[in-house]
Amino acid sequence: VLLKISAEHTSAVVAREIANAAAAAFADQVPVLEQVAGTAESPVEATVVRPAGLGARTQPGARLNIALGLVLGAISGFGAVVLRDRLDHTVRAEELEDLLGLPLLGRISGGDGVERDQVICLAQPSSRPAEEFRSVRTNLRFADADELPRSIVVTSALDGEGTAGVLGNLAVVLAQAGDPVVVVCADLRHPRLDELVRVHRRPGLTSVLSGHATLDEALQRWGDPALPLWALAPGPLPGNPSEVLGSKELELLIRRLEDRATFVLIETPPALPFTDAAVVSAIASGVVLVARSGRTPHDDVSSAVRALRAVGARLYGAVVTTPPRRLIDLGDTTSATTPRREEP
């Protein structure tokens, strides 16, 4: 059995002498403690194998430890950032224009003032997201140097990117500038915008396209009564959404809406799972693509851009949502309990 004895002292020499003395005393005491009655010698013997030497200081150096901690922390942090960047394949706002050739119209951040079922641009017009939407409005107006964008498809690569919230709040800030705006719920698969702005689903888009309702009957007022805002709900959902949206009647309807309002914002399903967005984009003035930073895969955004450009759609740019909280959802911010219909 090997036993190791060590000693600590402010003087290394004294610590050595204490350790050697303790070892010698221990060796002397073992035969006494382990002596068996009736025998002259102890069966156990302790021998000093190696005398103690002078060791280094064992007390930590605060300055050295702090310096080493800072260096190691910086190296670890930098390595983690590099590793995360290499493994993260989601879209980032700064790479849209360089890698995809897609102008960045604006970034919309979440925050404590963004609540569920609320049009942030109406409920909190002085909030940071509301100001960011005004920046998007300005950039969108100058997206085309030749003419003002009129009918704009707002879509995303995948579901759950905040498209309905972006479309609704963009409609609000455009109307706040004095421009009549009509939002068209052309998502005939899983419509959401009509529920968020609290308008009746029927009559709606499909009702007008099928001739079961006139445009005047289907248009509904929503939001602040002082704002020139109208909504065209989806109407009864058909079994063949792509064929309905690709009809000549929809193109004629969009042209009629452009005559009535300055801006026509059109909600569609995401571009990758369905062809609806590409079909509508081919007859609209252009497209705004919504992507969520840190969530939407970069490859999916690239595929959506290629699919839209393949049909000749003009891409005005992208709006990137960067939440810490769920971005903007729409709700009725008026005191009315039933939607109102007026002709724009």
Side-chain angles (χ1 to χ4, degrees):
V1 178
L2 294 177
L3 303 178
K4 181 179 180 179
I5 296 177
S6 62
E8 294 183 4
H9 195 272
T10 55
S11 170
V13 175
V14 175
R16 179 186 61 184
E17 297 303 326
I18 292 175
N20 287 329
F26 179 76
D28 293 339
Q29 289 298 317
V30 166
V32 178
L33 296 175
E34 296 295 332
Q35 188 173 12
V36 180
T39 61
E41 297 183 358
S42 172
V44 179
E45 181 183 4
T47 304
V48 178
V49 179
R50 185 178 64 189
L54 295 177
R57 291 186 60 183
T58 59
Q59 290 184 344
R63 293 182 179 179
L64 178 61
N65 287 347
I66 292 175
L68 289 176
L70 291 174
V71 172
L72 293 177
I75 294 174
S76 300
F78 179 76
V81 170
V82 172
L83 182 63
R84 181 177 182 271
D85 183 68
R86 291 294 181 89
L87 298 178
D88 186 5
H89 300 291
T90 57
V91 69
R92 301 293 174 183
E94 53 273 6
E95 66 185 12
L96 285 173
E97 192 162 5
D98 294 336
L99 299 181
L100 301 178
L102 199 61
L104 179 64
L105 297 176
R107 306 184 192 190
I108 309 299
S109 60
D112 294 336
V114 180
E115 302 295 338
R116 184 178 176 83
D117 297 331
Q118 197 176 62
V119 184
I120 193 66
C121 294
L122 286 176
Q124 300 177 25
S126 300
S127 64
R128 177 181 174 182
E131 188 59 37
E132 289 168 341
F133 273 112
R134 296 187 188 99
S135 177
V136 175
R137 175 186 65 190
T138 302
N139 293 333
L140 184 60
R141 285 180 178 275
F142 295 98
D144 192 331
D146 298 327
E147 58 182 358
L148 183 70
R150 299 298 305 280
S151 53
I152 306 166
V153 172
V154 181
T155 189
S156 59
L158 303 173
D159 196 14
E161 304 295 284
T163 303
V166 170
L167 187 150
N169 281 274
L170 182 58
V172 169
V173 294
L174 288 170
Q176 286 174 340
D179 295 309
V181 179
V182 174
V183 296
V184 179
C185 305
D187 186 347
L188 305 181
R189 299 179 187 271
H190 304 287
R192 182 165 176 258
L193 185 60
D194 62 311
E195 297 178 357
L196 296 175
V197 301
R198 308 253 179 109
V199 294
H200 296 302
R201 179 164 291 187
R202 304 184 184 191
L205 175 62
T206 56
S207 306
V208 177
L209 295 179
S210 62
H212 289 89
T214 65
L215 181 58
D216 295 332
E217 293 172 338
L219 282 175
Q220 304 176 52
R221 283 295 297 268
W222 67 279
D224 190 336
L227 295 178
L229 275 171
W230 288 264
L232 183 59
L237 300 184
N240 54 342
S242 297
E243 288 75 11
V244 172
L245 296 177
S247 64
K248 186 66 176 179
E249 287 76 11
L250 179 64
E251 182 177 2
L252 295 175
L253 177 60
I254 291 178
R255 302 288 91 83
R256 291 174 60 191
L257 291 173
E258 289 177 343
D259 292 337
R260 292 183 173 223
T262 305
F263 294 100
V264 180
L265 303 184
I266 307 170
E267 176 203 24
T268 69
L272 287 188
F274 311 104
T275 61
D276 304 20
V279 170
V280 180
S281 300
I283 60 178
S285 301
V287 183
V288 170
L289 191 66
V290 179
R292 185 155 299 202
S293 178
R295 173 177 172 177
T296 310
H298 181 276
D299 292 343
D300 290 338
V301 177
S302 300
S303 299
V305 170
R306 288 194 299 268
L308 294 171
R309 285 175 174 163
V311 297
R314 177 178 178 80
L315 273 73
Y316 291 130
V319 174
V320 176
T321 60
T322 57
R325 297 179 59 180
R326 180 169 183 161
L327 178 67
I328 298 102
D329 286 333
L330 301 181
D332 189 3
T333 58
T334 70
S335 59
T337 57
T338 57
R340 300 170 307 285
R341 297 190 183 93
E342 295 181 20
E343 181 181 356

